[in-house]
Structures are given as structure tokens and as C-alpha cells.
Amino acid sequence: MPTALITGASRGLGVQIARALNPTHDLLLGGRGSSELDDLATELEGAVTLPVDLTDHEAVEAAVESIDSLDVLVHNAGAMSSLEAVADTPVDEWRYILDVNLVAAAELTRLLLPALRASGDGHVVFINSGAGMRVNGRWTAYAASKFGLRALADGLRAEEPSLRVTSIFPGRIDTDMQRDIVAREGDQYDAANFLTPETVAAAVAQAIATPADAHPTDVVLRPTRR
């Protein structure tokens, strides 16, 4: 079977992407070392964990150096910013959110490009956000990281014609992180207002399963109730 590496696989959307790809792919599950990551590997028999912090670039390089062929790379890992106005966002916050959401994805892609090329039909999927297409007030730092991620995907697609590169732009998803965001916004949480992780994972799996004569470049999903 082809092999897929999924970052941020220990919780939320990453778990559902792993479950969606499990029937058709051998899985490498990336994430910080945790019992959740180990439990998922046990559930998905044959899956292998890559317990590493993506912002530790030396550790990441060591973790992936033995991968000589890779069919699918799903960039799912990411972090949320503090939702402050530009006037109140310190430089350390800018560095953190750009490092996690953009620089880490760029470096992992660079390290795995030889393996993706070697597969003959490599596919890179970037889990982006509605914030990668539109900026709202107090979301500027996060949106900047996601606009950058979109540019990374578009540039990679132009530079690597042998690869397929897909950006997924989901609206808000029903996750623990979303509950935290809504609480910070001071609103009541209603899961029915958001996409389910399973729905977004199904879109990822469908993009990857697209026949080779088509290149799914951008997939936009919006909750029907928002």
C-alpha cells in the first residue's frame, strides 16, 4: 500500500484523517509524544508513530531521515494565536505562530521532497483555514500564518510539477480548540454550527483518492449553518 505521513495526528482532525486513510495507506503518525498518539497507533494496526515536536528542526530531520519514499504528506499540525489586535500582539507571538504554522511545514516539506519525488506520484496536502483566504479583526497573526501556508502550497505546486499539491480550506471545525476559541470570543458553543472532523477528513481522503489525471488544487468547505 502507499504510505502517508500525517502531522498533528494525536487529536482532533488529525485522528480522523488517519482513520480515513487507514484502509488505503500505511500510516506514519506525527505528533508530540503522548498516550493519545500511541493509542491511535494501536487502534490503527500497523501504523507507526513519529513522536517529535515539529519546531525542533534537528529532531525532525533525524526522525525522517530514513524515509526514502513517501506517497502522501498531510500537513495537519498547527496552533492558534492569542486573538489579539495587531497593536497588542508581541513579537514573540508572531514568531511562535509563524514557526508552528508555516516554518515547520516548509522545513518538513523540504526534508521529505526527495522521498515524495521518489514515489513517482507524491501528494502534499496542506490543512489551511478560512483564515487563509480572509482576514478578520484580531485574527491577523493567525491569518498571516495561513496566508503564508497558502503561498507555500502554491509555490511548491509551481516548482514541483511531478507532485500534486492540495490546500484544504475548512471553515470552523468542532474540536476542543474551537471550544476554546469560542470561549475566548465570549459566545455560546453549539457544535451544530461547525463542520465535523469526520467531514473534513473525508474531503482530505477524497482529494488524495482523486484519479491521477486530475489535480485537486484547492478545496473549500464551509459549515452550512454559518
Side-chain angles (χ1 to χ4, degrees):
M1 285 199 297
T3 299
L5 191 161
I6 305 161
T7 68
S10 61
R11 58 187 301 189
L13 178 58
V15 171
Q16 298 305 327
I17 293 172
R19 288 172 175 158
L21 295 182
N22 184 51
T24 53
H25 291 76
D26 293 324
L27 298 180
L28 302 174
L29 306 176
R32 291 186 178 92
S34 66
S35 59
E36 290 85 0
L37 191 67
D38 292 337
D39 289 346
L40 183 63
T42 300
E43 173 193 336
L44 306 179
E45 187 174 350
V48 175
T49 62
L50 290 176
V52 64
D53 182 338
L54 288 176
T55 63
D56 185 342
H57 303 304
E58 290 185 359
V60 170
E61 184 171 11
V64 303
E65 64 181 352
S66 64
I67 300 174
D68 54 16
S69 182
L70 182 67
D71 299 280
V72 177
L73 172 59
V74 181
H75 288 289
N76 171 69
M80 189 63 204
S81 67
S82 57
L83 298 185
E84 298 289 347
V86 172
D88 300 318
T89 305
V91 68
D92 286 347
E93 178 71 12
W94 281 99
R95 288 181 176 135
Y96 167 74
I97 202 68
L98 290 170
D99 195 20
V100 174
N101 288 353
L102 178 57
V103 176
E107 176 62 0
L108 183 60
T109 300
R110 183 187 71 83
L111 292 170
L112 289 173
L113 270 176
L116 288 159
R117 293 170 183 147
S119 75
D121 59 352
H123 196 158
V124 184
V125 178
F126 293 89
I127 305 301
N128 203 295
S129 166
M133 306 180 78
R134 181 187 66 256
V135 185
N136 292 325
R138 305 180 70 87
W139 288 72
T140 307
Y142 180 73
S145 72
K146 292 299 188 177
F147 268 72
L149 194 67
R150 180 181 185 179
L152 172 61
D154 291 349
L156 182 66
R157 192 181 302 116
E159 294 169 1
E160 299 288 335
S162 69
L163 305 182
R164 292 198 292 181
V165 180
T166 302
S167 288
I168 309 287
F169 296 93
R172 295 195 179 197
I173 306 171
D174 176 25
T175 62
D176 290 340
M177 184 174 76
Q178 192 64 238
R179 290 179 181 274
D180 179 61
I181 292 169
V182 172
R184 281 190 268 171
E185 292 174 328
D187 293 333
Q188 293 294 317
Y189 193 87
D190 183 351
N193 288 329
F194 308 113
L195 296 163
T196 69
E198 292 84 353
T199 292
V200 180
V204 173
Q206 181 59 48
I208 293 168
T210 301
D213 64 316
H215 191 156
T217 58
D218 300 286
V219 177
V220 180
L221 302 172
R222 292 289 178 268
T224 54
R225 285 183 53 173
R226 293 183 68 91

